[in-house]
Amino acid sequence: MTADAVAPTVFLVDDDRSVLKAQARLLREHGFQTALFESAEDFLTQYDASVPGCLVLDVNLPGLDGLALQRRLAEVGPSLPIVFLTGVGDIPKSVQAIKAGAVDFLTKPVAGATFLAAVRAAVAQDALARLATDDDATLRQRHASLSAREREVLAGLAAGKLNKQIAGELGIAEATVKFHRAHLMDHMRADTVAELMYLAARLKL
Amino acid sequence: MLAVLDDISRFLSAPLWLTLACLLMMVTPPAQAATPRNVLVLYSHGRLLPANIECDRGLAEAFATRPDLAVVASAEFLDNPRFTGEAYERAFVSYLHEKYAAHPPEVIITAADEALDFMLRHRAALFAKVPIVHLAVSSTKLLSLSPLPPNVVGTPLVFDVVNTVEQALRWHPAADRLVIVTGAGPWDRVWEARLRDKSAGLPQGLAIDFLTGLPVAGLQQRLRDLPADSIVFTPGFFLDGDGREFVPRDATQLIAAASSAPVYGPFSTLIGTGIVGGHMASYAAMGRLGAQTAITLLDGASPASLDLPATMPAPLHVDWRQLQRWGISPRTVPPDAIVHFKEPTLWEGYRREVLSAITVMLLQAGLIVALFLERRRRRRTAAALTQSEEHMRLAANAANLSTWVLDCSAVPAAGTDTAFRQSGHGFAALLDFRETLAHVHPQDRDVVDKVLRDALATHEEFEVEYRVAAPDGEWRWQSARGRADLAPAPRLLGVATDITQRKRADIQAEQDRNAIHHMSRVSLLGQLSASIAHQLSQPLASILGNAEAAQKMLEREPVDLSELREICADIVAEDHRAAQVIRRLGVLFKRGEPSFEPLDVNDLVRDTIEFTRTMLTSRHVTLRTQLATALPAVSGDRVQLQQLVLNLIVNATDAMADLTEAERILTISTSVHADAVSLCVADQGPGITTSALGKLFEPFWTTKANGMGMGLAICRSIADVHRGNLAAANAPGGGAVFCARLPVLAST
C-alpha cells in the first residue's frame, strides 16, 4: 500500500465495549482503520458515508438493533456492506439480513480468519461499488497520470494477456511487469485485478 | 367331829363366850347382828319325800328374800307312816322340847295333815303360844279340825280330782273308763276314801274301777291289760298289797310304766314319773306361801289380821313328753297350764345363741351379698374399664397414639445439665423414662428439652415434634402433646403420635416442590437460552478477538509490549466475565435444598437483570430500575428469589409483546415498608382482567399459548416459603404490577 492510498475503515457497532475493543485490535493488526460505536444511534450520527470500508454490526442492540439499522441505511441509499455478528445463531434473522444485502452473518465467537475474510469481502464490495459511482473524467484523469510503460502494461492486462506475454512483447523482465501492474492498480484505485478489468472496460481500453 | 366341837364348847367358859360375842358384835354390821328368828318346820313324812324336798326349797327361797330377819328354819320329820304310835310321839315331843328349849321357835310351820295333827295334839306341851302356819293340808281335813285356834293359820289344799278327770276326758274323748289306783297303807286308805267320795262328782256314764291294795306285780299286770279307752288316776301309795313300802312318787312311776292307758295324778311331785298331769298345787308354792305367812307373823302381824288365799291354786300341770306319747295335740293344752319337760325348741332353749347365730349369719349373708355385689360391681367396672381400655387402645392404634407419663420430680434446673447435654445424655438427666426419650435425635434434644421445661413452668399445653430412634435403628418422627400435672409429683402427661409418614410426606412434598421449582427454573432458563448464550458468546468473542490480535502483533518487530499487556489483561477480565455468567447459570440450574441466608434484594435484582438483559434488548423492552438505597437484609434462598424475579421479568416482557417498542417499559423497583422489603415488577401491558385476578396464582392457569401455567404458582409458593407474599394488581397508569413482600431479617 502506498501512503497516499486511503485505507478502508471498518465501522464496528456493538453495545459490548470489550467485544468492540477486541475486534478493533484484530482489524487494526490486519491493516484496517476502525471506528467504534456502542449503539446504532451513535453510528448514525457520526457516520461519514464518503469513507470507504464496511460495517460490522451486532444484531442485538439496545434501542435501534442491527437489522433496524440495516433497514435505515438502505432507506438513505447505497450503504456500506454489512457483516452481521450475533451472539446466538438466529436463522430467521440471518435470512432476513442476507436478503437485505448483508455480506455475511457470523455467530460470535468467530474465528479471526473467517471474520477477516468477511470484512475483506465487504470492503472489496464497497470499493467496487464506489468505483462504479466514480465519473469517467476522474477515471481518464487517473489513466493520464500513468506513465507510458504503465499504460502499455494496463493495455496488455486489459487484453487478457499474462504477465509473461506482456514482458515478452515489451522486451522487459516479468518482474518489471508485476512492479508496473502494482503501481498502476494503486493509481487507478483498483484493489483487485477484477476492479482493474472493470475500470479498463469503462475506459474502453 | 361333833364330839370335838362339844369338847371345845365345854372348854370355853361363859365369860369368854360373851367376850367373843361382844367382839363379834363389834366387828359385824348391826343388821347381821340381829337376833336369829327361829322357825320350826315339821314335816309329816320323811326327809326324802319329793313333796318335802320341794316344799323345803320353797321355804328357803322365801326366807332368802328377807335376810334382815335372819330366819333360822329348823326342819323336823315325823317320818309317817314309817314311824307311828304313842311312844314314838312322846319321844318326839320330848325330843323337840329338849332340842328347842334354848332356841324356841317363834313360828311353827307344819307340812301335811299328820304334822298339823301332831302339833295340835301336843300344843300344850310344845310351844303352846307359838303360832302355827300349816300347809299342804286339804280343805276337807281342815274342816274336820275346825274350829282351829286363832293362831293356827294356813292355806288349805284342794285336790281337784274332778277337774283333772274332766281335762283327761277332753284329751281322751273316747275314754269311758276311769281306773283309780291306791295302796294298802293308812295314808293310801285315806286317799281311797277321798277318791270314792269325789267320784260322785265325776261325769255320768264314766265307769270307775278301783284297783286298791294290790301287790305291785299284780297291779302292773292289771294295768298292762287295761281295756282300750281307759284313763288312770292315782295319788301313788306308801304300801302295796304285799306290804312293800314305797313313796307315792316311786309307786306312781311303777304304775305309769305298766299302764297301757294314760295316768293322771293329784300331786305336782308326780310329774316326771310318767303321768300325763292333772290339776295340782305345787309343793314349792306351798312352801313359799307358808314361809311368807311366817315372815308376816315374824314381822309382828297378828294371825287374825292375815289375808290368806282361800285355797292353794291348783293349776293344770302337764308332762310334755306324755302329751307326745298319748298323741295329745299341744294346741289343746290350756294356755294357763304349766308344761314340764317340754323340749325347749332351739329358739326357746338357745334364744340368745340363736339370735346371735342368726345375727352372725345375717351379717355374714349381708357381708357375702355386699362382697358379691362389690365383686359384681368390680367385675362390671373392670369389664367397663377393659372395654374402655380396649376402645382407648383401638383409638390409639387407629390414631397411631401412645400415651406416656414423664416423671419430672428430679428435673435439673435449666442449664445445670450442660455437662449431660454435651456428653449426649441431656435427656437421661431430664427424663425418667430415659429408655424412650434418651433416643431423641441429638438435633431435636434442645428443642424438646426447652418445650418440656416451659410446659412445667407455665402449666400450659405443649406440642413438640422430634425424632426418636426406632429399634431397627431408623429415625422415626413423633409428635408429643401434653401438659404438666404437679400433683402428687411434678410430671408431664401426654400422648405421642408417630408422624413419620406425615413427615415423610412433608419431606416428599418439599422435595417435589423443589423438583418442580427446579424444573420450572430449567424451563425458564430454556426461554432465556438465547439471552444466556449471547451473554456467554460476548466474552468469548472478545477473548478470541484479543488473542488473535495478539498473535498477529507477535509477527511484527518490535512487539508493542504495552499493547500486548493490555490485551492480556482484557482477556483475563473477559474470561472472568464468562465464568461469572456460567456461575450464575449454574446456581439457577442447581437442584437441591433451599438454603436461607441474609440477602440484599437490590443485589439480587441486579444479578437477575444480567440474565435478562439480552432478552430484554432483543425484545426491545426498556428496563428501568428504581432501587431503594440501603435496603435491610431479608432471609432468603438466592436461587428461589432469583427465580421469582426472573419469572416476573419474563412475564412482564411477554405481557408487552404487542406494544410498540417504545412503549415496552419494564420497571423493577424495591422499597422498604416497616418490616418488609417490597420488590415490584411493573409492565405497560394490557393489565390483568378481573376474572384472571382470582386465578392468577393457580397452577396450570395460563394465558400464554405455550405456557405451562406454573410460573406464578411457583412464585407464590416461593414467597410463602419466605414467609412473605406475592400480590398482583393493575397499576393506576396501566399495566400490571406484581409485588413480592419479604419480611426483614430480624436484626441480631
Side-chain angles (χ1 to χ4, degrees), chain A residues 174-194:
Chain A
E174 195 179 338
T176 312
V177 174
K178 285 183 181 172
F179 174 78
H180 286 305
R181 192 185 73 179
H183 201 245
L184 74 89
M185 281 177 75
D186 217 12
H187 276 277
M188 290 303 290
R189 297 193 183 177
D191 289 336
T192 61
V193 175

Side-chain angles (χ1 to χ4, degrees), chain A:
Chain A
M1 268 184 219
T2 55
D4 57 337
V6 181
T9 297
V10 179
F11 298 91
L12 294 159
V13 182
D14 198 314
D15 58 336
D16 192 323
R17 184 187 289 267
S18 63
V19 174
L20 273 182
K21 215 163 126 190
Q23 287 174 343
R25 277 188 183 125
L26 184 62
L27 289 170
R28 279 200 298 275
E29 287 301 319
H30 286 87
F32 293 99
Q33 300 278 352
T34 55
L36 312 184
F37 306 93
E38 284 187 39
S39 71
E41 290 82 355
D42 285 355
F43 171 76
L44 280 177
T45 53
Q46 294 166 36
Y47 164 60
D48 178 0
S50 67
V51 181
C54 73
L55 180 56
V56 174
L57 185 55
D58 188 22
V59 177
N60 224 347
L61 289 172
L64 203 58
D65 72 3
L67 292 175
L69 181 58
Q70 183 187 32
R71 281 195 299 276
R72 186 73 64 85
L73 291 173
E75 284 165 14
V76 175
S79 76
L80 284 170
I82 300 174
V83 173
F84 274 103
L85 281 176
T86 179
V88 193
D90 185 332
I91 291 167
K93 282 185 177 173
S94 66
V95 169
Q96 191 187 340
I98 298 292
K99 274 187 175 172
V103 175
D104 214 335
F105 196 97
L106 302 174
T107 302
K108 289 189 273 193
V110 61
T114 312
F115 179 55
L116 288 167
V119 168
R120 283 198 189 101
V123 167
Q125 190 181 324
D126 179 59
L128 205 57
R130 282 177 196 284
L131 285 177
T133 56
D134 288 347
D135 54 37
D136 291 350
T138 312
L139 281 178
R140 268 188 291 276
Q141 198 182 336
R142 285 179 194 156
H143 189 254
S145 72
L146 299 177
S147 67
R149 182 60 80 189
E150 284 169 348
R151 274 183 231 118
E152 287 171 356
V153 172
L154 177 57
L157 288 169
K161 289 174 182 165
L162 299 173
N163 290 346
K164 202 174 187 177
Q165 285 177 302
I166 296 165
E169 284 175 8
L170 296 177
I172 55 172
E174 195 179 338
T176 312
V177 174
K178 285 183 181 172
F179 174 78
H180 286 305
R181 192 185 73 179
H183 201 245
L184 74 89
M185 281 177 75
D186 217 12
H187 276 277
M188 290 303 290
R189 297 193 183 177
D191 289 336
T192 61
V193 175
E195 282 178 27
L196 194 62
M197 290 299 106
Y198 169 77
L199 292 171
R202 290 264 310 264
L203 292 167
K204 300 182 172 56
L205 288 174

Side-chain angles (χ1 to χ4, degrees), chain B residues 220-386:
Chain B
Q220 285 188 311
Q221 190 56 52
R222 289 285 299 273
L223 290 169
R224 271 193 282 273
D225 297 338
L226 281 178
D229 301 326
S230 302
I231 53 174
V232 177
F233 186 91
T234 181
F237 49 79
F238 279 94
L239 205 66
D240 77 343
D242 286 341
R244 276 179 67 190
E245 292 179 13
F246 294 88
V247 292
R249 181 181 165 91
D250 292 341
T252 310
Q253 191 150 21
L254 292 171
I255 294 164
S259 173
S260 61
V263 182
Y264 291 82
F267 310 128
S268 65
T269 48
L270 300 185
I271 294 294
T273 57
I275 67 165
V276 177
H279 283 276
M280 45 189 66
S282 155
Y283 284 98
M286 287 183 244
R288 276 195 295 275
L289 184 60
Q292 279 157 9
T293 311
I295 286 166
T296 313
L297 294 172
L298 287 173
D299 282 340
S302 81
S305 69
L306 292 175
D307 182 21
L308 293 170
T311 57
M312 279 305 293
L316 178 65
H317 287 250
V318 184
D319 184 334
W320 181 265
R321 295 168 300 186
Q322 298 308 315
L323 294 179
Q324 306 288 102
R325 178 183 168 192
W326 299 106
I328 299 163
S329 168
R331 276 179 307 203
T332 60
V333 176
D336 54 352
I338 296 162
V339 178
H340 298 262
F341 305 111
K342 183 181 179 186
E343 292 271 334
T345 58
L346 202 58
W347 173 245
E348 288 162 342
Y350 300 94
R351 187 176 180 138
R352 184 178 299 175
E353 289 81 354
V354 166
L355 274 175
S356 318
I358 288 173
T359 308
V360 167
M361 281 166 72
L362 281 174
L363 282 173
Q364 277 186 340
L367 194 63
I368 288 167
V369 167
L371 285 172
F372 177 76
L373 288 175
E374 172 68 9
R375 179 162 168 272
R376 200 165 65 164
R377 196 182 62 78
R378 278 194 181 195
R379 282 175 68 173
R380 279 185 187 161
T381 310
L385 194 62
T386 307

Side-chain angles (χ1 to χ4, degrees), chain B residues 448-468:
Chain B
V448 177
D449 182 272
K450 184 178 186 312
V451 166
L452 297 184
R453 283 178 195 287
D454 288 352
L456 274 176
T458 62
H459 305 164
E460 279 173 13
E461 278 199 13
F462 67 88
E463 187 166 13
V464 61
E465 293 182 357
Y466 51 87
R467 282 160 288 179
V468 291

Side-chain angles (χ1 to χ4, degrees), chain B residues 92 104 109 168 264 347 438 555 603 702-703:
Chain B
F92 205 86
I109 297 173
Y264 291 82
W347 173 245
E555 290 171 10
D603 253 9
T702 184
T703 55

